[in-house]
Amino acid sequence: MEDRSMTVKIEIDTLVTMLKMAFSFENWDNMIKISTELYESAYEMYVEQKERNRRLQVTERPIVYYFGYSHLMKGLAYQKKKMYQEAKQCIANYEDLSYMSDGSPANNQAVENFRFFARANMFTLNILSGNLDCLEDYSAFIQENPSETLPGLITILEAANIHNYDVDHILDILVVEDSQLIPIDQNPVDLSYYISFLYLLAVYRFKKENHAEALDRTLQALTLSDKLEDDKIFKKCVALFESFRTHASQSQLESYSSIQKNILKGAIEDEEGIVFDGSSIRTI
């Protein structure tokens, strides 16, 4: 039994890693498939645990975590596929996992974490679905939970761009200082959220014909997406800037040119025997 338990441990924690990888590659169908496998593995362990009437110390996290995580990630995949009703059903499956807790601090904390995620994600789904009525409540929720600021702003801007909402009053409340949104430790995950926020804000400002700020935000996103090597956002920002180039000021055009020259310089320096001095390319 011990060997089998170790096999299950390896399998279940590997599935968590695979889910995270599928998310990073935006493979939503694979996320749904892996989430189902994770749930089945967690359920098998839960049944075995109840039959033996004791907690099995074979996983990195409590069993309740794997239950919740499988439904959360499946719901996220459905959200990305714009299958909002299916995503809401997933939330119903992890919003209250107290029945699975064995009373230990780790279990209780996992239950509370998923309760919180359920509330935040239900706000997200309602807003993306076009339900503007809960926007004020969501704004209040974000203010109560500062860690949700960037994800919340991304949701609000996505919905605003899709449904033509005017969310200026919400942005005025949540974006007091730009510097407050910039990730302090510059870790890739938080920085990626910030870049997405800048891109979506640029699109929102373009839709409202505020070209000056929109172009500034595009330039910010361009610089950071190059730093993070996020080619997808970078290409979108290049297309945005080029599409609205006629509205750019001289300083914005110069900034854009400087960004492109720096990228070219970095690429050329990787080529043996070729140098780019900012205005010409020559062989050495």
Side-chain angles (χ1 to χ4, degrees):
M1 181 63 71
E2 183 177 350
D3 290 343
R4 178 178 175 280
S5 295
M6 288 303 296
T7 300
V8 174
K9 171 187 184 298
I10 293 170
E11 175 191 341
I12 203 167
D13 287 310
T14 298
L15 288 171
V16 170
T17 301
M18 290 171 63
L19 260 180
K20 292 177 180 178
M21 290 179 62
F23 175 75
S24 68
F25 286 112
E26 301 185 0
N27 191 334
W28 313 132
D29 290 331
N30 199 33
M31 275 180 67
I32 293 170
K33 176 177 178 292
I34 298 170
S35 293
T36 300
E37 293 178 22
L38 178 60
Y39 168 78
E40 290 172 350
S41 294
Y43 183 75
E44 181 182 350
M45 292 193 69
Y46 178 64
V47 170
E48 182 181 350
Q49 176 176 290
K50 292 195 72 173
E51 288 176 350
R52 297 174 66 175
N53 199 28
R54 67 184 179 86
R55 188 152 49 98
L56 301 174
Q57 300 289 337
V58 296
T59 55
E60 292 181 8
R61 305 172 181 87
I63 298 299
V64 64
Y65 168 84
Y66 301 101
F67 263 81
Y69 194 69
S70 66
H71 292 302
L72 184 149
M73 293 300 275
K74 180 180 283 190
L76 181 57
Y78 280 132
Q79 175 190 316
K80 295 297 185 179
K81 289 166 67 70
K82 303 190 188 314
M83 300 171 66
Y84 298 134
Q85 289 307 313
E86 290 83 352
K88 287 181 179 181
Q89 181 55 55
C90 290
I91 290 177
N93 291 333
Y94 68 81
E95 64 182 348
D96 185 5
L97 294 171
S98 57
Y99 67 94
M100 293 191 64
S101 178
D102 61 7
S104 68
N107 271 259
N108 289 340
Q109 185 60 59
V111 169
E112 287 307 310
N113 287 345
F114 284 112
R115 197 189 309 276
F116 175 82
F117 296 149
R119 188 181 176 204
N121 291 337
M122 188 58 78
F123 273 128
T124 296
L125 290 173
N126 283 331
I127 289 171
L128 290 177
S129 299
N131 182 359
L132 192 60
D133 294 337
C134 64
L135 194 54
E136 298 295 337
D137 288 339
Y138 188 37
S139 175
F141 172 78
I142 292 170
Q143 291 176 76
E144 293 168 4
N145 301 278
S147 64
E148 290 296 304
T149 302
L150 270 177
L153 285 168
I154 289 170
T155 294
I156 290 168
L157 287 168
E158 281 182 350
N161 291 336
I162 293 169
H163 300 289
N164 292 316
Y165 293 165
D166 185 321
V167 295
D168 284 354
H169 64 297
I170 299 294
L171 294 177
D172 288 342
I173 293 171
L174 298 180
V175 189
V176 179
E177 293 272 348
D178 238 32
S179 58
Q180 294 176 341
L181 300 177
I182 301 173
I184 297 174
D185 58 3
Q186 299 284 296
N187 76 75
V189 174
D190 290 340
L191 200 56
S192 179
Y193 273 121
Y194 184 60
I195 294 169
S196 295
F197 159 72
L198 290 173
Y199 167 74
L200 290 168
L201 183 57
V203 172
Y204 178 73
R205 295 305 185 201
F206 276 127
K207 285 171 70 73
K208 300 197 66 150
E209 298 188 356
N210 184 346
H211 297 115
E213 183 184 350
L215 287 163
D216 281 342
R217 298 298 188 176
T218 303
L219 290 169
Q220 285 180 276
L222 260 178
T223 301
L224 290 173
S225 59
D226 175 50
K227 177 181 178 180
L228 199 62
E229 298 183 348
D230 186 334
D231 292 341
K232 188 173 182 179
I233 291 289
F234 184 85
K235 289 176 183 177
K236 288 181 179 180
C237 289
V238 169
L240 265 184
F241 193 93
E242 292 295 345
S243 297
F244 293 92
R245 171 185 279 274
T246 55
H247 296 280
S249 66
Q250 187 59 38
S251 64
Q252 288 171 331
L253 289 170
E254 290 172 358
S255 294
Y256 179 70
S257 177
S258 177
I259 291 169
Q260 300 296 352
K261 285 180 179 179
N262 285 335
I263 292 171
L264 179 58
K265 186 174 185 294
I268 293 251
E269 284 177 350
D270 291 334
E271 301 288 337
E272 186 175 349
I274 301 177
V275 174
F276 175 62
D277 63 9
S279 60
S280 62
I281 297 174
R282 57 189 174 82
T283 302
I284 57 171

